[in-house]
Amino acid sequence: MKKRSKSVALCIVGAAAFTLAGCQEEQIDAQAFPDLQSCKAGADLNQFLSAEECEIAFAEAQQLHVESAPRYDSLQVCEDQHGAGACGNEQQAVQGGSGGIFMPLLTGYLIGNMLSGRNGMSAAQPLYRKAGGGFTNAAGTSAYSSNAGKAKLNTSQFAKPTKTAGKPPMTKASVASRGGFGKSKTGGRSLGG
């Protein structure tokens, strides 16, 4: 009778370990670049992406910037979240945008390997400066120490952000009620070279 209990216990432990292993999120190779020229320079050294892949990824990140960059109702609120001199008005960044809506300037691009064509994912993400230092994505859900370097990141880092174009911009009160832009971030990530 005792042997039967031990085998049942082993089955439960084995099933739990299998379940936990199945819940781990897939990680992919990712690299951040401060600009297109840096990506192409790396392509010339036969690293990570070709020059053509750099251009495709940057175009995708720029499109996400136009559609999903955080938008604020004043320059002051934007700079409170992203730092002095790190914001411009929507009209400067987007054709047909408003001069009374402010968005952070693009300060880099995060490119994930093997993500093209996955539903709900974007192979490239725009990066924005954070007021306290470091960088974040359009959703403000991730924090990075640098806008250059390589890392293995969870695929969730490349989920398409919610579109903000055409929606009311965040106000000082709405940002404060959330505890700041991207308050639900998942923690800092280090991008190393």
Side-chain angles (χ1 to χ4, degrees):
M1 193 70 157
K2 270 193 165 184
K3 283 186 177 182
R4 188 174 184 188
S5 297
K6 284 183 180 178
S7 64
V8 169
L10 287 174
C11 287
I12 291 171
V13 170
F18 180 76
T19 301
L20 288 174
C23 293
Q24 289 184 347
E25 188 174 347
E26 179 186 3
Q27 290 200 322
I28 59 167
D29 291 324
Q31 188 158 358
F33 299 95
D35 52 41
L36 179 57
Q37 291 73 27
S38 300
C39 185
K40 285 184 170 181
D44 290 342
L45 300 173
N46 198 20
Q47 296 179 347
F48 198 65
L49 300 169
S50 70
E52 181 182 357
E53 290 169 325
C54 286
E55 289 186 16
I56 292 169
F58 284 117
E60 187 174 354
Q62 287 177 328
Q63 183 63 36
L64 279 180
H65 171 66
V66 169
E67 295 173 355
S68 304
R71 286 168 162 80
Y72 303 93
D73 70 341
S74 75
L75 180 61
Q76 183 63 50
V77 174
C78 186
E79 289 186 340
D80 286 349
Q81 301 304 309
H82 300 281
C87 296
N89 70 36
E90 185 183 47
Q91 196 172 36
Q92 294 168 324
V94 180
Q95 188 174 8
S98 169
I101 295 177
F102 297 86
M103 0 182 343
L105 303 174
L106 270 176
T107 55
Y109 305 82
L110 181 65
I111 302 170
N113 194 13
M114 307 295 289
L115 284 171
S116 291
R118 288 193 187 183
N119 193 22
M121 297 288 175
S122 176
Q125 295 277 327
L127 293 177
Y128 305 104
R129 185 173 305 281
K130 292 177 58 176
F135 298 86
T136 189
N137 59 4
T141 56
S142 297
Y144 307 98
S145 60
S146 172
N147 64 349
K150 298 177 183 175
K152 284 228 178 251
L153 299 176
N154 293 336
T155 55
S156 64
Q157 305 290 311
F158 295 91
K160 285 190 176 179
T162 302
K163 291 183 179 181
T164 58
K167 295 184 178 176
M170 291 185 275
T171 64
K172 185 175 183 174
S174 64
V175 171
S177 72
R178 295 173 44 179
F181 169 69
K183 191 60 180 173
S184 62
K185 68 184 177 189
T186 56
R189 304 271 189 245
S190 178
L191 293 169

